[in-house]
Amino acid sequence: MKSLRRYWETHHGEVSPLLRIRDRLQSKSHPLEASEIRELAGQVALPEATVKSVISYYSDLHEDREAIRVCQGTSCMLAGAEELQQELQKRKNCKAAYCLGYCDRSPTLLTAQDEVICSQQATALVAGEKTPATAETPPLSVRCLAPEPTVTKRAGANYSSLEKARSAGVYSALAQALQSSPEELLSLVERSGERGRGGAGFPTGTKWRRCAECPGETRYAIANGDEGDPGSFIDRVLMENDPHGVIEGLLLCGYGVGASQGIVFIRSEYPTAIKRMQEAIAEAQDAGILGSSVLGSNFSFEISVFPGMGSYVCGEETAMLNAIEGLRGEVRIKPPYPVEAGLYGKPTVVNNVETLVNISAIVKKGAEAYAATGTAYSSGSKALCLNHGFASPGIVEVEFGTTVRQVIEEAGGGAGGKTIEALLLGGPMGSLLLPEEWDVPICYGAMAERGIQLGHGGMVALLEGTDYSALLEHWLRFMMDESCGKCVPCSLGSQKAWNLVRNQSADPKCRAQLEGLFEVMEEASLCAFGQYITGPMRQIIEHFGDRIFTAGGG
Amino acid sequence: MAVKTLKINDIYVAVEEGLTILKAAQEAGIYIPTLCHLEGVSDIGACRMCMVEVEGINKLLPACVTEVAEEMVVRTNTAKLKEYRRMNMELLFAEGNHVCSVCVVNGNCELQNLAVEVGMEHCRFSYRFPDKPVDISHPQFGIDHNRCILCTRCVRVCDEVEGAHVWDIAHRGEECKIISGLNQPWGEVDACTSCGKCVNACPTGSIFHKSTPVAVMKRDRGSLEFLSTAREKKQWTR
Ligand SMILES: Cc1cc2nc3c(=O)[nH]c(=O)nc-3n(C[C@H](O)[C@H](O)[C@H](O)COP(=O)(O)O)c2cc1C
Ligand code: SF4
Ligand code: SF4
Ligand code: SF4
Ligand code: FES
Ligand code: FES
């Protein structure tokens, strides 16, 4: 039976309709006229209604391109981003964004010229100061608590030129892997015990094997650089400072699973990452690292960058595939899984950027040595992102098994000597941890046993005096703004829950109604977004309900 | 043809491999509520009314898109499921303006029937009373967005069976809205062949025949199923 998805067949994956629609929109300073959309629809071989639908789905395709993006992500929200936007809006054209990847220096703004303004500079700009008193943006701090750095090896400085990357050893693992068969690489990754860092902790080797063993000629390897979770920024830093490390990881993935085309999907909130990745790809292409004969072997691999267009859910792998195919970023029903039928219906591996950067270390170290680090369930190390609420924010790489408390202590506790009341771990679908829970080791297994989601490893400190009612409302606002709208519990439930918190928190029935709604979302939503986003909210209500529900319902 | 045997609500059912739980249940005469599912068009698993429990799987599964497996043990009507379906229904009702007494399909409405079915006597959420438009620009039909539940049955039937693709969904999340053409009045969309398939596909009173007095419109769903079977199996006689 034919379904709506058949339209991709008409463009054979050459240039995504979505990119063509975006380029057309960008070539004009005004929204397209009806006749122009008609013409465009003909060019991209999509029905007119679908083109209209797609434009209205992606924020970047209908919001003002000249507006300054004011981050309303969790970390920035806690730094007063809402008031900041209200103030700035009086003088400048603004729009909201959810996380610009500078959560260690909130609040953050991104200009239409791709300039990031953060921390005190942002506040100064809003206050109307022409030249901010503190001219320097505080630098990013990258630290490593593991015996040796893996992910953060090249994250602390700019290694984006090929020469510098090569002198730091990038592409030597690739050369080594090309000496042996893809099967050996697959087996190596399986034995390493690596788990995906994108959130779910799925074993990388298993995923690759499934894809490699699906019949078919064409396969795709995709690096997920969408990093939508407000509070994490490691992928941004990797793509900006270590783009060749990402390319090497994706090349290894392609070689292992038998793909010849790779895509790096990067959110548009990360313009510098997009630019650096594109430049690095071009440089690698010129040097014969990418192309029809990778490092002189008979392995052929090409990589292109696909920019996100302003939708959180597009970080979910099947929504991402829809976006690349030129459709709305709605989540697909699984099965079939992307490894069986992914991009254009072909077997596809989607791996997080950080997951891929680990692969070269596995090749170099050997599977057994890699598996010996970390815990039995989660081998290797993980980069954690600490927001401005910590005394020493930034990126901290830790071996799996390190406790949350150790990380918080290393960071010197709360900023300005304030007490950390609770920790938000792992972004919107993550968890809230009270101090008594901080002895949990960072490990997908140990955390799952306690119902804790590590997510992508973002850590946002909730300092004494946090307004939990505002935090809860923020969480629901995020859900409303970002739900793809496909299923009823998530798209309608979020609106109802937000309304309850905003307008009826004094009603004694409010809390019970809210919890009832959460249950339906968790149990009946189609994807992990609706199923897990309630977790932190439930914990906020459980521990701080008395500060939210005024009718004593807490 | 391989056969799978499963148990639905303690009844053994043997069906062809590759069928969905929903189909298997229908063959066995077991009712599972559905809304976004429509015979003859692709399934999207979006309304979540057909969720069932499957032993050994710790989450609920949508029956319309989940394939049967050997020795599967399915429950379609547990207290938990009933509560979720009811809550789901309430979400739909609170979202739109469903004043059944003045609706063209009163008594013939899938949404209304389902509400009765799941025992929704009242809605626990405050109604939103949205101010949504009614478009009567088409010479024969009209669409009242106040009654639309965004099931996309009209989108799929118009695309997959009629091949016109007049409808689509605009925006995202709770702002989603059905649009015709370039979000223009239906009557101005050249692609529409006035075949009436979307009218028959709509489970609510959202898309209707104009000049239909309150509560007399009946859908011709059979003709729709016939059409799609005809196309698939090339059988053009009824
Ligand atoms: C709503 C939603 C958003 C997601 N966003 C991201 C993201 O921004 N980056 C990411 O790597 N994975 C994200 N994921 C997880 C991906 O679907 C996928 O599991 C992951 O990219 C797989 O990579 P891994 O196996 O290397 O972890 C998201 C999942 C959901 C449900
Ligand atoms: S849970 Fe939310 S994001 Fe996921 S499919 Fe449903 S509406 Fe879309
Ligand atoms: S009447 Fe037919 S062609 Fe017109 S919108 Fe409805 S289904 Fe599509
Ligand atoms: S108009 Fe009818 S068929 Fe179309 S989405 Fe709305 S309720 Fe469903
Ligand atoms: S930069 Fe604002 S939350 Fe990440
Ligand atoms: S009928 Fe199965 S999800 Fe709608």
Side-chain angles (χ1 to χ4, degrees), chain A residues 70-77 81 97-109 229-233 267 270 387 460:
Chain A
V70 183
C71 179
Q72 296 296 343
T74 315
S75 175
C76 293
M77 172 263 168
Y98 283 115
C99 197
L100 301 167
Y102 284 81
C103 330
D104 54 330
R105 285 159 280 179
S106 300
T108 322
L109 314 170
D229 289 2
S232 57
F233 40 93
R267 64 205 315 252
Y270 287 180
N387 87 321
V460 172

XYZ file of all heavy atoms in Angstrom, chain A residues 70-77 81 97-109 229-233 267 270 387 460, ligand 5:
236
model
N 17.001 34.446 21.480
C 17.269 34.528 22.912
C 17.033 33.136 23.485
O 15.954 32.579 23.342
C 16.324 35.541 23.605
C 16.684 35.660 25.071
C 16.406 36.889 22.918
N 18.063 32.572 24.111
C 17.915 31.215 24.609
C 16.927 31.162 25.767
O 17.043 31.911 26.732
C 19.256 30.646 25.048
S 19.040 28.978 25.695
N 15.941 30.279 25.651
C 14.980 30.038 26.724
C 15.135 28.622 27.260
O 14.221 28.062 27.855
C 13.544 30.281 26.235
C 13.235 31.716 25.824
C 13.332 32.699 26.983
O 13.317 32.314 28.145
N 13.465 33.981 26.669
N 16.284 28.025 27.017
C 16.551 26.687 27.556
C 16.619 26.728 29.070
O 16.678 27.802 29.674
N 16.620 25.558 29.688
C 16.498 25.483 31.146
C 17.563 26.305 31.873
O 17.264 27.049 32.808
C 16.589 24.016 31.589
O 15.782 23.237 30.718
C 16.105 23.848 33.008
N 18.802 26.159 31.442
C 19.875 26.858 32.136
C 19.717 28.371 32.011
O 19.888 29.112 32.980
C 21.225 26.413 31.558
O 22.256 27.137 32.128
N 19.387 28.834 30.815
C 19.213 30.269 30.603
C 17.953 30.786 31.274
O 17.913 31.899 31.781
C 19.213 30.586 29.113
S 20.818 30.279 28.357
N 16.912 29.945 31.281
C 15.676 30.338 31.950
C 15.962 30.608 33.432
O 15.483 31.578 34.012
C 14.646 29.212 31.761
C 13.378 29.347 32.530
S 13.514 28.376 34.046
C 12.077 28.967 34.919
N 16.288 34.424 31.615
C 16.171 34.683 30.178
C 14.819 35.278 29.786
O 14.720 36.038 28.829
C 16.418 33.407 29.395
N 14.764 30.615 21.474
C 15.378 29.362 21.022
C 15.547 28.512 22.268
O 15.571 29.031 23.377
C 16.733 29.637 20.392
N 15.592 27.197 22.081
C 15.826 26.337 23.233
C 17.240 25.783 23.179
O 17.497 24.800 22.516
C 14.807 25.200 23.291
C 13.458 25.646 23.806
C 12.339 25.620 22.989
C 13.304 26.090 25.113
C 11.099 26.013 23.462
C 12.067 26.494 25.588
C 10.970 26.453 24.758
O 9.747 26.853 25.231
N 18.137 26.436 23.836
C 19.539 26.072 24.020
C 20.407 26.389 22.805
O 20.156 25.959 21.688
C 19.730 24.607 24.398
S 21.383 24.351 25.099
N 21.441 27.164 23.084
C 22.414 27.519 22.055
C 23.750 26.848 22.325
O 24.740 27.100 21.647
C 22.577 29.049 22.008
C 21.272 29.818 21.715
C 21.425 31.300 21.980
C 20.833 29.584 20.260
N 23.776 25.984 23.344
C 24.999 25.229 23.623
C 26.046 26.006 24.408
O 27.225 25.666 24.387
N 25.613 27.038 25.101
C 26.541 27.790 25.967
C 25.973 27.839 27.380
O 26.027 28.873 28.039
C 26.744 29.207 25.435
C 27.657 29.269 24.233
C 27.167 28.981 22.959
C 29.010 29.578 24.372
C 28.000 29.006 21.854
C 29.846 29.608 23.264
C 29.344 29.332 22.011
O 30.180 29.365 20.930
N 25.421 26.732 27.840
C 24.721 26.708 29.122
C 25.672 26.968 30.278
O 25.247 27.310 31.371
C 24.017 25.382 29.330
S 23.482 24.611 27.806
N 26.973 26.766 30.028
C 27.946 27.076 31.080
C 28.108 28.582 31.235
O 28.756 29.044 32.160
C 29.306 26.428 30.751
C 29.813 26.822 29.369
O 28.983 27.068 28.472
O 31.040 26.883 29.183
N 27.564 29.343 30.296
C 27.697 30.797 30.356
C 26.357 31.493 30.132
O 26.273 32.483 29.416
C 28.731 31.261 29.313
C 30.163 30.974 29.741
C 31.113 30.943 28.570
N 31.057 29.667 27.860
C 31.787 29.398 26.774
N 32.582 30.294 26.275
N 31.696 28.213 26.201
N 25.294 30.958 30.708
C 23.962 31.566 30.523
C 23.939 32.956 31.153
O 24.682 33.197 32.094
C 22.901 30.712 31.217
O 22.886 29.430 30.681
N 23.055 33.839 30.699
C 22.140 33.711 29.567
C 22.864 33.903 28.231
O 23.960 34.445 28.201
C 21.149 34.850 29.807
C 21.928 35.879 30.557
C 22.904 35.122 31.418
N 22.208 33.466 27.165
C 22.868 33.447 25.864
C 21.983 33.984 24.745
O 20.792 33.716 24.719
C 23.237 31.991 25.508
O 23.649 31.330 26.672
C 24.332 31.941 24.493
N 22.621 34.707 23.842
C 21.912 35.209 22.653
C 22.682 34.806 21.404
O 23.899 34.633 21.460
C 21.854 36.751 22.668
C 21.455 37.478 23.945
C 21.705 38.973 23.780
C 19.991 37.227 24.210
N 18.897 18.681 23.786
C 18.684 18.811 25.227
C 19.250 20.115 25.762
O 20.466 20.298 25.738
C 19.389 17.669 25.989
C 18.712 16.333 25.773
O 17.734 16.279 25.004
O 19.178 15.348 26.381
N 18.407 21.013 26.263
C 18.959 22.193 26.908
C 19.820 21.725 28.079
O 19.402 20.893 28.867
C 17.728 22.949 27.398
C 16.630 22.499 26.489
C 16.939 21.067 26.203
N 21.012 22.219 28.165
C 21.901 21.818 29.252
C 23.091 21.011 28.784
O 24.042 20.824 29.523
N 23.079 20.496 27.547
C 24.283 19.790 27.101
C 24.891 20.497 25.901
O 24.185 21.075 25.071
C 23.994 18.316 26.818
O 22.981 18.194 25.882
N 26.211 20.472 25.835
C 26.908 21.186 24.754
C 28.156 20.464 24.274
O 28.928 20.995 23.490
C 27.237 22.621 25.183
C 27.698 22.773 26.622
C 29.037 22.747 26.958
C 26.768 22.935 27.641
C 29.461 22.887 28.283
C 27.179 23.071 28.970
C 28.523 23.044 29.291
N 21.935 20.950 14.351
C 20.883 21.951 14.563
C 21.339 23.352 14.134
O 22.511 23.701 14.257
C 20.463 21.955 16.025
C 21.556 22.388 16.989
C 21.321 21.806 18.365
N 19.941 21.959 18.743
C 19.474 22.804 19.664
N 20.318 23.550 20.345
N 18.197 22.896 19.938
N 23.465 25.927 16.065
C 24.916 25.764 16.146
C 25.587 26.179 14.833
O 26.210 25.362 14.154
C 25.258 24.288 16.404
C 24.980 23.748 17.791
C 25.274 22.413 18.095
C 24.450 24.538 18.805
C 25.035 21.888 19.355
C 24.200 24.014 20.066
C 24.496 22.685 20.338
O 24.262 22.161 21.582
N 26.314 23.348 33.962
C 25.835 24.681 33.585
C 26.378 25.753 34.530
O 27.145 25.454 35.454
C 24.303 24.684 33.521
C 23.684 24.987 34.867
O 24.161 24.526 35.895
N 22.618 25.767 34.867
N 22.269 20.487 35.240
C 21.843 21.848 35.565
C 21.603 21.916 37.071
O 20.808 21.151 37.613
C 20.563 22.226 34.781
C 20.001 23.567 35.256
C 20.851 22.275 33.282
S 22.506 27.868 26.104
Fe 20.678 28.372 27.123
S 20.086 26.467 27.985
Fe 21.827 25.912 26.822
